[in-house]
Amino acid sequence: VNSGRCSQLAARQSFFLSALDLLSKTASSETSKAKDVTASDPKAFQNHPLYCLRRDLMSIIANCLAGHQDNQDKLCENEGMMAILSGCSVDNLNPFIGEWAVMAIRNACENHPGNQAVIGKLRQSGVADTGLLRTMGLDVSVGDDGKVHVKSTDSRAPVAK
C-alpha cells in the first residue's frame, strides 16, 4: 500500500472530523445571539464574523460524505447526524445551509444503515422556533392528528390550505 496515499486519506478524514466538530460547536448559543442581532438589521449579518461559516462547514461535510464509507462510519460513531440536522432551519447568517444539510443527509445515508437508523428513529416533538414565521404574520402549530397547521395572524392575508 502506498504510504503517501494512506497519509492523504488520514488527513482528509481528520479534516472531515474537524469540520464536523466545529459545526457541532457553532450550533451553540453564540450563533443564536448573532441571529437575534441580525433580526433588527438585515444587512448587519453580512459583516458578522460568523457569516457563512456554518454553511461552508456543511458543504465540506456534505462533500466529504459523498461515496465515502469511512466518513459515513465516523459520522455515525461520533453521533454527527444531529449536527447536520441542526442546519435544517432558516438562518440569515448562513444562506443555503438548509440545502447543504439536505445534501449531507443524503450522502450520509446513502448505503449506510447506521445513519439511516438515526433518521428512522426521529420523532416529531413539536414546532421549531416560530419567531420568524410570527414576524411574517403566521402562526404554526401541530394538531392532535400530528399534522402541521398554519394560520394567518393578519386578518388581511389569508393562508392557502
Side-chain angles (χ1 to χ4, degrees):
V1 176
N2 182 337
S3 64
R5 175 100 171 113
C6 288
S7 64
Q8 285 178 344
L9 289 174
R12 286 183 193 149
Q13 195 167 56
S14 175
F15 182 67
F16 167 74
L17 290 173
S18 296
L20 183 61
D21 183 54
L22 190 54
L23 181 69
S24 297
K25 289 177 180 174
T26 58
S28 70
S29 60
E30 205 50 46
T31 55
S32 297
K33 289 177 196 171
K35 288 180 192 178
D36 293 340
V37 169
T38 62
S40 59
D41 181 8
K43 298 271 185 194
F45 62 84
Q46 294 177 344
N47 295 321
H48 194 280
L50 296 177
Y51 184 66
C52 291
L53 174 66
R54 295 194 71 220
R55 188 226 26 221
D56 293 344
L57 290 168
M58 190 70 75
S59 70
I60 290 167
I61 291 166
N63 284 304
C64 286
L65 288 167
H68 198 282
Q69 181 74 37
D70 290 341
N71 285 341
Q72 290 173 325
D73 292 341
K74 288 293 180 190
L75 180 78
C76 193
E77 291 167 17
N78 290 286
E79 300 177 5
M81 191 62 82
M82 291 310 183
I84 291 173
L85 291 170
S86 74
C88 294
S89 62
V90 175
D91 182 351
N92 286 340
L93 283 176
N94 296 284
F96 302 107
I97 190 172
E99 289 79 357
W100 279 110
V102 169
M103 184 61 80
I105 293 165
R106 178 214 175 271
N107 292 344
C109 292
E110 185 177 40
N111 300 319
H112 198 281
N115 288 329
Q116 292 170 13
V118 171
I119 299 295
K121 291 177 187 173
L122 293 176
R123 297 292 172 252
Q124 182 178 358
S125 62
V127 179
D129 177 24
T130 59
L132 177 63
L133 294 172
R134 274 193 293 276
T135 62
M136 296 170 57
L138 300 172
D139 180 44
V140 180
S141 62
V142 178
D144 294 334
D145 57 1
K147 293 182 180 179
V148 176
H149 301 277
V150 180
K151 296 180 210 167
S152 174
T153 57
D154 183 357
S155 59
R156 299 169 290 149
V159 176
K161 295 183 181 184

